[in-house]
Amino acid sequence: MSEYDDAIRLEPGDGPTRRTGTFTEDWMIGNAVNGGFVMAAGLQALGEHLAADPAEETKHSDPVVMSAYFMTASAPGPFTVTTDLMRCGRMLSTGQISLSQPGSDGTPVERMRAIASFGNLEQVDTFKQSTPPDMPPPEQCVSSEQAPPEFLANMRFLERLDLRLDPATAGWALGKPSMKGVIRGWLRLKDAREPDTTMLMMALDALPPVAFDLGILGWTPTLEFTGHIRRRPAPGWLQVSLSSENVGGGMMEEDASIWDSTGALVAQSRQLCGVRLSTGRNG
Amino acid sequence: MSEYDDAIRLEPGDGPTRRTGTFTEDWMIGNAVNGGFVMAAGLQALGEHLAADPAEETKHSDPVVMSAYFMTASAPGPFTVTTDLMRCGRMLSTGQISLSQPGSDGTPVERMRAIASFGNLEQVDTFKQSTPPDMPPPEQCVSSEQAPPEFLANMRFLERLDLRLDPATAGWALGKPSMKGVIRGWLRLKDAREPDTTMLMMALDALPPVAFDLGILGWTPTLEFTGHIRRRPAPGWLQVSLSSENVGGGMMEEDASIWDSTGALVAQSRQLCGVRLSTGRNG
């Protein structure tokens, strides 16, 4: 079993709408569990709820869209996901997800609330799609392993990934951001576990914040994140591109697109981040 | 009072979390109440809930982000909005919104469920922003009033708007879509009511579907819609730009951006739509 599958594994909770799991330090970025991993865990729970529903017959096994609001930072330790089926339709099944962890007094503290729809992406035709960005092959890109050890010490999540950034968008690591608001890279799980539609939701939020390329090295917490999964990804490398056009009022958007190894657009997202124009690298 | 304010006015329901209103045929597009107007009504309810909350002191009076999932089409008639405050933080207050209408047997049928955050956009600095699109002034654009009467008969919502499309992106109305997946236009309310942050959420979903410019004239129902409101708009015309890059698997994204009359980026959205490659103009 891959470390990703092991980390995202859920146990039955009390009743059909609850499942439990445990976040470990391995999936932390800075002082919190990576938000993309939190979303994947929530999606996993809703997918299992749907699969167990007799009316559903598991025909909607692919997450198609998820909107997540982050209320408090997730910490290593046990978590509970509560799911609620809202509508099981012909094309999509939609439900709500609430992920919580026990607070210091044992009372549940909600980390993330989300709404998500599942569908079936087994056969997807293409009428029009955006082309993957032009970038050097992975072996000519900058591996996150090349980052300074003191940077990586706080970024255990990066050890789970094989991430190779396009040198043209990695200048921020040397104190020279392009100021274009673009970061591109190749991504796969370090343990070679192949991507699937749930993992894509995590991959949309796995790269360093695009704010880095604008010289903004402070914390940019995700306030809201919506991801669209458009296809089941082929095995192999994913190509991820981030961009941001609008920064102001203490907020910015971060748009992400992912193409699979065949060059097909497989996922997209837009998130609203808080921006604190302070120093420090607490991504 | 403007017709928009009149239409969006809510009455107290039973308890602090419920408010009621009435959809009229005036805000219909095709066979349903316009989704943007449904979102604005839901936001209005959450805003009123927050304003009435003693802990909030109405400091978060601007909607900042909303993610809405549409379960069934809204019809003219009474509706109820139930709101739930999830977290009142320093920067944002976040809550959940459920809008329902009585079904044929009187049982509530949920039309839309959403999560939204409010903040304060009174003073917003700009670090970086996208520039408004280059397009002719409103008087050189194509008014929706010029559309064939049989088209407008089914589009009462358009009578509420003064909408002027850039001729370069209006060819679809004459059977000649540009096939670029772009629609641009000037927008304001017909009764000259000036835009505010709640009205912007409706404006993000007010233009004809961008699918039209790809020659797709069938129904493209919104499955999920997320809008970001970034600034309080200045009075006057709004400039709205729609685009879509990825169409396939029965779905497409529609991205929207809005600039106010000073050229400031005030709102952005991305929605996931269903695509039925059929004929007919039931936008």
Side-chain angles (χ1 to χ4, degrees), chain A residues 67 69 71 84 96 113 115 125 127-130 224 226 228 230 244 246-249 251 265 269-270, chain B residues 67 69 84 86 96 113 115 125 127-128 130 224 226 228 230 244 246-249 251 265 269-270:
Chain A
S67 303
Y69 284 68
M71 265 122 14
D84 167 34
Q96 187 168 313
R113 196 177 301 187
I115 307 176
D125 60 341
F127 178 87
K128 177 187 201 275
Q129 73 168 15
S130 47
E224 177 275 336
T226 296
H228 300 175
R230 302 293 297 272
S244 182
N246 300 284
V247 183
M251 290 183 271
L265 185 288
S269 64
R270 173 169 288 169
Chain B
S67 304
Y69 284 68
D84 167 34
M86 290 154 54
Q96 188 168 314
R113 195 178 301 188
I115 307 176
D125 61 340
F127 179 88
K128 177 186 203 274
S130 48
E224 177 274 337
T226 297
H228 300 175
R230 302 293 297 272
S244 183
N246 300 283
V247 183
M251 289 182 272
L265 186 287
S269 64
R270 174 169 287 167

Side-chain angles (χ1 to χ4, degrees), chain B residues 71-242:
Chain B
M71 264 118 21
T72 49
S74 290
F79 64 86
T80 299
V81 189
T82 307
T83 50
D84 167 34
L85 298 190
M86 290 154 54
R87 179 168 187 262
C88 296
R90 188 189 56 79
M91 185 182 183
L92 296 176
S93 295
T94 301
Q96 188 168 314
I97 299 164
S98 170
L99 190 148
S100 64
Q101 294 191 291
S104 52
D105 63 353
T107 322
V109 177
E110 192 170 22
R111 301 304 191 199
M112 177 194 76
R113 195 178 301 188
I115 307 176
S117 297
F118 278 65
N120 189 318
L121 299 178
E122 197 171 353
Q123 291 190 318
V124 171
D125 61 340
T126 301
F127 179 88
K128 177 186 203 274
Q129 71 168 15
S130 48
T131 49
D134 204 14
M135 50 190 273
E139 56 277 14
Q140 291 173 29
C141 286
V142 182
S143 166
S144 49
E145 289 176 357
Q146 297 171 243
E150 66 274 18
F151 180 75
L152 291 175
N154 208 20
M155 302 284 171
R156 296 282 303 275
F157 175 67
L158 290 182
E159 296 171 18
R160 312 276 82 70
L161 310 175
D162 191 350
L163 173 61
R164 316 282 183 93
L165 296 183
D166 182 344
T169 69
W172 51 267
L174 303 169
K176 292 179 183 165
S178 82
M179 300 306 282
K180 289 180 186 163
V182 176
I183 293 183
R184 290 185 295 265
W186 300 92
L187 178 71
R188 59 183 180 188
L189 289 173
K190 182 71 78 57
D191 68 3
R193 196 268 198 194
E194 296 296 353
D196 62 18
T197 46
T198 299
M199 179 274 195
L200 284 178
M201 197 66 76
M202 181 182 81
L204 285 164
D205 199 29
L207 263 59
V210 72
F212 285 4
D213 189 54
L214 292 168
I216 301 168
L217 299 178
W219 190 41
T220 51
T222 302
L223 306 171
E224 177 274 337
F225 182 102
T226 297
H228 300 175
I229 309 299
R230 302 293 297 272
R231 273 182 176 271
R232 292 188 186 170
W237 285 105
L238 300 171
Q239 217 171 331
V240 188
S241 179
L242 307 183

Side-chain angles (χ1 to χ4, degrees), chain A residues 218-237:
Chain A
W219 190 41
T220 51
T222 301
L223 306 172
E224 177 275 336
F225 182 103
T226 296
H228 300 175
I229 309 299
R230 302 293 297 272
R231 270 182 180 274
R232 292 187 185 171
W237 285 103

